[in-house]
Amino acid sequence: MCGIVAAIAQRDVVPILIEGLKRLEYRGYDSAGLAIVKNGLQRIRSKGRVAELEHLAQQDHIQGTLGIAHTRWATHGVPSERNAHPHISSGISVVHNGIIENHEMLREQLQSAGYVFVSDTDTEVIAHLVHQEFTKLHNLVAAVKASIKLLIGAYAIAVVHEANTQSLVVARMGAPLLLGLGEGEQFAASDASALVQVTQRIVYLEEGDCAELQLQHIQIWNQQGERVHRTEQLSSISAAAVELGQYHHYMQKEIFEQPMAVANTLEMVTRASTITPQLFGPQAPHIFATITGVTIIACGTSYHAGMVARYWLEAIAGIPCQVEIASEYRYRDSVVNPQTLILTLSQSGETADTLAALQQAKKMGHLYSLSICNVPESALVRASDLHFLTRAGPEIGVASTKAFTTQLVALVLFTLALAKQRQRLSLAQEKEMLVALRHLPLALEHVLRVEPAIVEWATVFACKEHALFLGRGVHYPIAMEGALKLKEISYIHAEAYAAGELKHGPLALVDAKMPVIAVAPRDTLLEKLKSNLQEVHARGGELYILADQDTHIAESEGVHVIQMPDHAGLLSPILHTIPLQLLAYHTALQRGTDVDKPRNLAKSVTVE
């Protein structure tokens, strides 16, 4: 969600901060601001886009060698300039990502001590706390350390003092924050993509860390106040990877990057002659041999990937599987089987609900965990016993596309590795699947060719306010994902149902004004699905069908068909995802919405 960029250098850092904020725009935000230490504090804030903040900085000739900047996604207080970060308390300036759960109690205490609040945010209590401690300790690092001990909740913060041009202080707990190392300059940010223009040398802070950044060096203290060393890493993110290039939107770029993203994710497998548990870590053979069930925990799009995997795991690996929404799993009493593998899915690896759910599972006694994630240094990867990296590359568009398909690829590999471990995958089946996986990137290229036909459909959908998506079996979660994409970026109300459920209620919605989209692969449920589609057609519903070859579904009045390639067997859900992504994209395009930054949504949901 909110984005932080901070810098100390021997050059003007304002362009660096602005560029960093622009690269964090994908996270979602409604206001932005920055503070520079130069002859005191210079602060500018604006509701709306970073471009407006940039204009104000140029207009006011804001310059300086030390500063902090922020994009805010509103939690406490409406989007407005007065609620925008940075917040100030008598020379102390703070930016914050996260939620302070005890802010009301702290606010009352600080007001009793004479502090006046000018915003509705929870963040302002941090600024006043640091100032209160600074008046006692006269040291910014010590003041920040003392203040964070009083905070309950999640935070990543960056703090400067108007009288100190030599350092800035940062800290984190439950929200991502990393350091960027330069030559005679240092940086901090929520995401490595914010710093690609200045450095690829990255240090990831651990939970509870506090750090001081000075021109020539950094110092880090852990939660216990001990000086610690955190390993420097070289970020794999390049500037080119987060630029639009020939595309109009990041979502469009990322849809068309899927063949390459899938090929990269499969690289270790397509060059091998076998699928081994070691793909998921050195402990995987032992853990896979021990577990008696799988619980998949995820949110949003990742939850839909988990629902697809449930069909695969139970049918192919023969192991019980349940799929949980992370935010629900945390707050219900569940029956614990310690031998159940907890599998978490997340694009960023910093999703607050998913991280908390994993911690909850461990507390309840679950012994084994696996994360499938797109970010190697993320908190979720570090907290899990096993992990698999999807190698989708940076995903900037809020509506997930290539992260979803690469998660599905990873889940196929997990299913096959587990099936092999449980002696449910023959040598012939393994070879057949390796051939199919090697062909998958090319198959995705072929599916992308349906785009012109999808554009025609989108002209109809752009005029609608409701849509119904249908699927059966393993393709039902794909219908759910298609509905989510459409509502996320076009703001059309869309619902998905298992097609067999039509007659149990949803059929009442069907009329000529309600387009019905059906995923129709040539599988064992095809004839059942055809019967469900007849129910829609007989009631005057307008059908839009994604059909495999040889399904014998013909176009007619009120029935529109896009022919997909031949049925891809186990991999069919991955291919059928692509047209639904394109439909959402082109419908949103025709409706004139902000495709990459849809209203009210954030990319990286790092608060509960």
Side-chain angles (χ1 to χ4, degrees):
M1 288 176 129
C2 310
I4 290 173
V5 188
I8 180 169
Q10 299 175 69
R11 54 175 164 157
D12 181 21
V13 299
V14 173
I16 296 169
L17 299 177
I18 294 290
E19 180 62 25
L21 292 185
K22 287 180 178 179
R23 294 182 184 274
L24 293 179
E25 285 187 302
Y26 74 93
R27 297 170 70 92
Y29 72 104
D30 46 55
S31 57
L34 62 81
I36 297 295
V37 179
K38 182 181 180 183
N39 302 320
L41 278 174
Q42 302 176 63
R43 177 180 65 169
I44 52 172
R45 299 179 294 175
S46 68
K47 180 184 173 184
R49 295 304 183 199
V50 172
E52 173 63 19
L53 185 74
E54 182 178 28
H55 173 73
L56 291 174
Q58 293 170 350
Q59 178 180 286
D60 296 347
H61 305 291
I62 303 294
Q63 292 182 325
T65 57
L66 170 62
I68 54 178
H70 188 266
T71 52
R72 177 178 185 254
W73 189 84
T75 53
H76 297 80
V78 299
S80 64
E81 183 178 330
R82 73 186 185 89
N83 286 330
H85 300 210
H87 290 286
I88 289 177
S89 179
S90 301
I92 300 286
S93 188
V94 175
V95 291
H96 164 230
N97 183 10
I99 289 179
I100 305 304
E101 295 175 5
N102 62 334
H103 74 99
E104 290 179 346
M105 181 192 71
L106 292 171
R107 180 182 286 252
E108 289 176 4
Q109 293 174 356
L110 288 161
Q111 285 174 328
S112 298
Y115 286 93
V116 176
F117 284 76
V118 296
S119 79
D120 305 313
T121 68
D122 54 338
T123 300
E124 195 175 357
V125 303
I126 303 175
H128 293 319
L129 272 180
V130 174
H131 177 264
Q132 186 178 61
E133 295 299 326
F134 186 82
T135 59
K136 294 183 281 187
L137 301 170
H138 307 290
N139 178 280
L140 188 59
V141 174
V144 171
K145 286 182 180 179
S147 298
I148 60 178
K149 289 179 181 178
L150 303 174
L151 302 178
I152 298 173
Y155 59 81
I157 60 174
V159 187
V160 292
H161 189 286
E162 65 179 2
N164 182 353
T165 60
Q166 303 304 311
S167 70
L168 68 92
V169 180
V170 300
R172 69 154 296 213
M173 174 67 77
L177 194 68
L178 55 87
L179 309 182
L181 309 183
E183 297 298 328
E185 54 188 20
Q186 315 293 346
F187 312 93
S190 301
D191 187 317
S193 64
L195 302 180
V196 290
Q197 81 273 22
V198 288
T199 186
Q200 288 186 293
R201 297 168 57 204
I202 301 297
V203 171
Y204 288 88
L205 297 178
E206 300 286 344
E207 288 284 89
D209 279 358
C210 178
E212 182 182 32
L213 284 65
Q214 298 180 325
L215 286 174
Q216 300 299 334
H217 69 282
I218 61 171
Q219 297 182 81
I220 303 172
W221 297 266
N222 64 17
Q223 197 169 1
Q224 290 71 44
E226 305 162 331
R227 280 283 302 276
V228 291
H229 172 75
R230 302 297 184 209
T231 305
E232 178 184 328
Q233 302 182 39
L234 195 64
S235 172
S236 59
I237 298 175
S238 67
V242 293
E243 291 173 354
L244 271 174
Q246 63 179 320
Y247 297 97
H248 299 292
H249 299 92
Y250 282 106
M251 184 178 179
Q252 181 190 27
K253 176 176 184 270
E254 287 151 12
I255 288 172
F256 280 86
E257 283 177 341
Q258 285 175 111
M260 182 59 70
V262 165
N264 290 340
T265 300
L266 287 169
E267 184 177 17
M268 288 187 292
V269 175
T270 52
R271 294 181 179 181
S273 58
T274 186
I275 299 170
T276 66
Q278 282 88 347
L279 287 168
F280 298 86
Q283 294 177 277
H286 166 71
I287 291 175
F288 286 8
T290 304
I291 60 173
T292 58
V294 178
T295 293
I296 300 175
I297 301 175
C299 302
T301 286
S302 295
Y303 172 71
H304 295 155
M307 290 184 69
V308 173
R310 178 174 60 186
Y311 288 91
W312 288 338
L313 286 165
E314 295 196 343
I316 298 166
I319 193 166
C321 177
Q322 59 182 359
V323 188
E324 300 271 2
I325 297 171
S327 57
E328 291 294 314
Y329 178 82
R330 293 176 60 184
Y331 296 111
R332 73 173 185 86
D333 296 326
S334 56
V335 178
V336 175
N337 174 3
Q339 304 303 116
T340 296
L341 176 71
I342 299 297
L343 194 165
T344 53
L345 296 169
S346 171
Q347 189 281 137
S348 67
E350 304 288 350
T351 307
D353 284 319
T354 307
L355 278 166
L358 175 58
Q359 293 163 4
Q360 175 72 5
K362 289 181 175 182
K363 287 179 184 176
M364 290 192 301
H366 286 283
L367 299 176
Y368 308 114
S369 58
L370 161 67
S371 70
I372 292 176
C373 182
N374 192 39
V375 181
E377 306 88 356
S378 64
L380 198 63
V381 168
R382 296 197 302 268
S384 303
D385 302 311
L386 307 174
H387 69 268
F388 184 93
L389 299 175
T390 54
R391 298 185 64 191
E395 188 178 67
I396 306 301
V398 166
S400 181
T401 52
K402 61 179 179 174
F404 178 68
T405 47
T406 53
Q407 282 177 354
L408 290 177
V409 166
L411 289 164
V412 167
L413 294 177
F414 171 65
T415 299
L416 296 174
L418 196 56
K420 185 176 180 181
Q421 179 86 36
R422 296 166 63 84
Q423 298 182 339
R424 291 178 58 95
L425 186 71
S426 69
L427 185 60
Q429 289 171 323
E430 183 180 17
K431 287 183 177 179
E432 181 183 342
M433 282 310 306
L434 281 169
V435 170
L437 289 168
R438 291 184 186 114
H439 178 68
L440 183 57
L442 183 59
L444 290 168
E445 293 274 10
H446 290 160
V447 174
L448 284 166
R449 296 174 188 170
V450 305
E451 185 180 28
I454 290 290
V455 172
E456 291 184 22
W457 282 12
T459 59
V460 175
F461 278 75
C463 303
K464 304 295 183 179
E465 294 303 324
H466 307 277
L468 188 63
F469 287 70
L470 301 177
R472 293 207 69 150
V474 71
H475 292 83
Y476 165 47
I478 299 304
M480 296 176 70
E481 176 61 13
L484 176 62
K485 285 292 154 286
L486 190 67
K487 64 182 121 183
E488 276 183 315
I489 62 169
S490 75
Y491 315 147
I492 293 172
H493 171 241
E495 297 293 338
Y497 282 90
E501 285 293 292
L502 269 178
K503 53 189 171 291
H504 297 293
L507 203 54
L509 296 171
V510 171
D511 60 19
K513 298 178 182 178
M514 170 79 83
V516 178
I517 306 95
V519 180
R522 198 184 74 248
D523 60 12
T524 56
L525 290 172
L526 177 61
E527 295 308 315
K528 300 287 186 185
L529 178 66
K530 284 182 178 180
S531 297
N532 302 140
L533 299 184
Q534 285 298 327
E535 294 169 0
V536 173
H537 190 48
R539 287 158 179 82
E542 195 87 1
L543 282 164
Y544 295 81
I545 304 171
L546 298 169
D548 285 352
Q549 293 179 12
D550 298 325
T551 53
H552 304 293
I553 299 176
E555 288 220 4
S556 62
E557 183 69 28
V559 179
H560 313 274
V561 181
I562 289 179
Q563 291 291 335
M564 297 283 288
D566 198 17
H567 183 56
L570 183 69
L571 305 180
S572 175
I574 302 173
L575 299 184
H576 276 274
T577 296
I578 306 302
L580 298 177
Q581 294 173 348
L582 288 168
L583 178 62
Y585 172 74
H586 284 288
T587 302
L589 208 59
Q590 295 198 36
R591 286 170 69 96
T593 64
D594 192 338
V595 173
D596 288 332
K597 296 183 281 292
R599 67 189 183 199
N600 304 333
L601 298 180
K603 179 66 176 177
S604 183
V605 186
T606 56
V607 298
E608 181 179 351

